[in-house]
Amino acid sequence: MEEFLKQFFDVGFMVDHFDEVLDGFWVTVQLSVISGALALVWGLILATLRQLPGKALLPVRFLTIAYIDVFRGVPLLLLILIIAGGIPALDFLPEWLRLPQWFGKPDSFWFGVLAITITYGAYMAEVYRSGIESVPGGQMEAARSLGMSHGQAMRSVILPQAVRKVIAPLLNDFIALTKDTTLVSFIALNEVTLVASDIQSETFNSSALTLGAIMFLVVTLPLARLVDKLIAREQGRFTRGAPRVEAL
Amino acid sequence: MESKGGAMLSLHGVCKRFDKLEVLRGVDLEIKRGEVVCVLGPSGSGKSTLLRCVNLLEPPEEGDIRLEERSICKGPGSGSGEQSWELDFVRQRVGIVFQQFNLFPHKSALQNVTLAQEKVLGRSTAEARKKGAKLLERVGLGDKLDEYPERLSGGQQQRVAIARALAMDPHVMLFDEVTSALDPELVKEVLDVMRELAEEGMTMIVVTHEIGFAREVADRVVFMDGGVIVEEGAPAQVLESPREERTKQFLGLVLER
């Protein structure tokens, strides 16, 4: 038992390596927030493109659906490796694109951001779509009958309602995204997993990894509770005065 | 009040089908400026589809619709889908009120009435709010400007919807069974608003099951069945002494209640 605790939960060891692991976790947080924000926006753009009306825009819808299908189907780790190994080899690109070092972050950070945004943009597009499709058709009709264009109706009437309905599932995806940032350790980004795993290889003690896990929980558990609250609130809206809201 | 004169809207041989189902099978109808026409008929007779054809929510497949003596179909070579219709011309002149209200639930009553004024007509916020408040006052909701739809009764919501359509200064108003989703005690407040509107000279097409309203307010009653107009005429004639057997049957069933 003592050996078990020493291997995984050595408090003294954790204290000794706390600053190192925290530095790594700070990189994880930055990676999560930047990729998460970009994926939220990119997903919304994809979902909007997917809903464009008319025959003329069929190719746009088709390409969008193809994109979403492909990148939901490809493992994130593969994409990370493809991007990080591939882009620097493209000699025709200028160096600031081939080996981006923006804002003092290494290229591996930005390749991670790109891969995560591509993948999670596809996931989030599907979440937005479910929200858009849950808005009753009468809303679009009412907006169009008042003379609004499809774009105006989307922006002012459909999306505000759709986004409100999907905040909880989007947050769920964000939690998953946060955990998936650990995959960027494969291309040598010194985020929490890589830092703690290096400590493990040097010391044969796993407590630094446990500490990393605890840091994740400190962030993800409150987010999970927030998701529950949002879902409860959304359901509350529909049970209070149900017929009237249903009628909308 | 404007005199009831020239043709505001005329339909010639309007046909509409959904896949194999023929909903409208050649409808001819002419509506004069300032006229109030009530459309009656059993469910599935094509009444609602007729209204939705007029404002192009469901563009017809055949036939011609003229609004203020201008065809709203651009004719061949103008593109596919929405491009082949005078969408803006129609939507700026024709307002519609739906059975299910379709208010924007994330907007207050006043915002429901101002949104399209600002986005479509380019009115300033102040101008749109002034107009919106005046219209809501007029439909008896001057004290509910900042309420959200979910806190309004069905009758109140429907009156907001009427104000929302009126805010666009339509020349024609379409009413699609606007009292059918309401509790009985809320029907009158909506019909009263429509009655006032008719008295002010608005051109209106009212699809309804309210025979009493049709008798009192309509200049003309149209009875539809099976996607065609079976009978039309003055309310007293159509409602009291219908010529057609189908009209008699229908009125018999409705008035029995």
Side-chain angles (χ1 to χ4, degrees):
Chain A
M1 186 64 190
E2 199 177 312
E3 203 169 321
F4 176 87
L5 285 177
K6 200 167 158 35
Q7 176 60 236
F8 297 108
F9 296 99
D10 186 333
V11 175
F13 187 87
M14 286 185 191
V15 171
D16 288 345
H17 291 90
F18 187 82
D19 287 350
E20 265 172 275
V21 177
L22 188 63
D23 281 348
F25 192 67
W26 177 231
V27 175
T28 297
V29 169
Q30 289 171 311
L31 187 58
S32 302
V33 170
I34 294 173
S35 320
L38 290 175
L40 275 173
V41 174
W42 179 226
L44 185 58
I45 293 171
L46 288 169
T48 311
L49 290 177
R50 197 185 169 141
Q51 301 287 332
L52 289 174
K55 272 202 186 107
L57 296 167
L58 191 69
V60 177
R61 288 197 295 273
F62 177 81
L63 285 176
T64 311
I65 291 168
Y67 171 99
I68 293 170
D69 284 353
V70 166
F71 288 109
R72 278 194 309 162
V74 172
L76 178 57
L77 179 55
L78 281 186
L79 191 61
I80 291 172
L81 294 174
I82 289 169
I83 288 175
I87 292 184
L90 299 176
D91 288 332
F92 61 84
L93 289 178
E95 182 156 330
W96 63 272
L97 265 182
R98 238 172 355 111
L99 297 164
Q101 311 275 330
W102 311 327
F103 303 105
K105 296 267 175 284
D107 52 352
S108 54
F109 182 89
W110 295 112
F111 291 144
V113 166
L114 180 61
I116 294 169
T117 303
I118 287 173
T119 301
Y120 274 87
Y123 282 122
M124 290 181 178
E126 286 299 280
V127 174
Y128 283 119
R129 174 166 80 118
S130 72
I132 291 170
E133 286 176 355
S134 75
V135 176
Q139 291 290 309
M140 181 56 98
E141 288 190 346
R144 295 305 304 273
S145 77
L146 291 165
M148 284 188 228
S149 66
H150 176 87
Q152 286 174 327
M154 267 314 232
R155 207 165 48 241
S156 309
V157 175
I158 307 298
L159 288 179
Q161 296 182 57
V163 169
R164 225 164 285 198
K165 288 181 194 201
V166 296
I167 289 174
L170 284 176
L171 214 51
N172 257 333
D173 272 1
F174 180 71
I175 294 173
L177 176 152
T178 305
K179 295 185 294 174
D180 274 354
T181 58
T182 53
L183 292 172
V184 186
S185 63
F186 275 80
I187 54 170
L189 178 68
N190 269 316
E191 46 68 75
V192 67
T193 325
L194 188 56
V195 170
S197 148
D198 282 350
I199 295 171
Q200 184 195 38
S201 345
E202 281 163 23
T203 61
F204 304 103
N205 188 317
S206 302
S207 298
L209 280 166
T210 313
L211 179 61
I214 292 169
M215 287 180 180
F216 263 104
L217 288 174
V218 167
V219 173
T220 53
L221 284 181
L223 280 177
R225 290 282 77 75
L226 182 60
V227 172
D228 288 350
K229 265 208 182 113
L230 289 172
I231 289 172
R233 199 182 71 180
E234 189 62 26
Q235 281 169 346
R237 274 173 56 129
F238 280 85
T239 38
R240 264 181 286 124
R244 269 188 246 152
V245 177
E246 286 296 324
L248 289 168
Chain B
M1 188 173 145
E2 278 183 87
S3 66
K4 298 186 179 180
M8 173 62 99
L9 188 68
S10 52
L11 287 70
H12 297 287
V14 170
C15 293
K16 176 74 193 175
R17 71 181 79 77
F18 297 106
D19 292 324
K20 292 247 168 64
L21 183 68
E22 281 189 272
V23 185
L24 296 178
R25 299 184 300 145
V27 174
D28 298 310
L29 184 63
E30 189 156 305
I31 289 158
K32 296 189 193 68
R33 199 171 291 277
E35 197 177 21
V36 177
V37 173
C38 280
V39 183
L40 309 179
S43 60
S45 59
K47 323 179 287 288
S48 291
T49 306
L50 183 70
L51 290 192
R52 296 165 65 85
C53 275
V54 168
N55 84 338
L56 298 176
L57 280 175
E58 310 278 6
E61 265 114 27
E62 282 171 51
D64 187 26
I65 300 178
R66 301 181 73 81
L67 177 61
E68 297 181 336
E69 298 175 6
R70 173 170 163 187
S71 178
I72 63 176
C73 176
K74 283 183 188 165
S78 52
S80 67
E82 291 187 340
Q83 287 157 9
S84 57
W85 299 93
E86 300 279 2
L87 217 58
D88 292 339
F89 177 77
V90 172
R91 301 257 164 93
Q92 276 168 26
R93 284 163 183 78
V94 180
I96 186 166
V97 184
F98 302 93
Q99 181 177 355
Q100 298 294 346
F101 329 138
N102 296 345
L103 288 186
F104 308 135
H106 61 302
K107 303 267 182 200
S108 70
L110 184 58
Q111 287 166 340
N112 263 277
V113 183
T114 57
L115 180 67
Q117 291 189 66
E118 291 176 44
K119 300 274 171 203
V120 179
L121 302 180
R123 289 180 185 151
S124 70
T125 308
E127 199 182 349
R129 286 181 68 92
K130 197 173 150 206
K131 171 126 189 159
K134 212 170 98 189
L135 281 165
L136 286 171
E137 186 83 40
R138 177 171 155 195
V139 299
L141 296 170
D143 56 338
K144 303 281 186 198
L145 300 188
D146 297 321
E147 288 288 3
Y148 281 79
E150 67 175 343
R151 297 183 47 108
L152 297 173
S153 74
Q156 290 169 333
Q157 288 191 54
Q158 195 58 293
R159 285 183 282 151
V160 175
I162 294 173
R164 180 174 70 174
L166 290 176
M168 308 305 285
D169 297 321
H171 300 184
V172 183
M173 282 285 282
L174 311 176
F175 293 88
D176 188 6
E177 299 198 33
V178 294
T179 55
S180 300
L182 296 178
D183 292 338
E185 78 272 20
L186 303 177
V187 169
K188 186 174 175 297
E189 64 190 50
V190 173
L191 293 182
D192 284 346
V193 169
M194 292 163 65
R195 187 174 287 123
E196 266 176 46
L197 206 54
E199 282 163 8
E200 287 164 24
M202 176 64 79
T203 309
M204 293 165 54
I205 309 182
V206 184
V207 168
T208 186
H209 292 297
E210 299 290 333
I211 304 290
F213 179 83
R215 183 181 292 126
E216 256 180 80
V217 181
D219 295 307
R220 190 148 48 106
V221 169
V222 168
F223 176 72
M224 281 184 77
D225 194 14
V228 293
I229 291 177
V230 173
E231 180 166 3
E232 61 179 302
Q237 183 259 308
V238 176
L239 297 173
E240 310 304 335
S241 48
R243 279 189 295 265
E244 301 290 332
E245 197 52 41
R246 273 187 289 175
T247 319
K248 280 178 202 164
Q249 271 176 4
F250 174 77
L251 289 173
L253 289 171
V254 175
L255 295 173
E256 241 170 51
R257 282 192 303 164

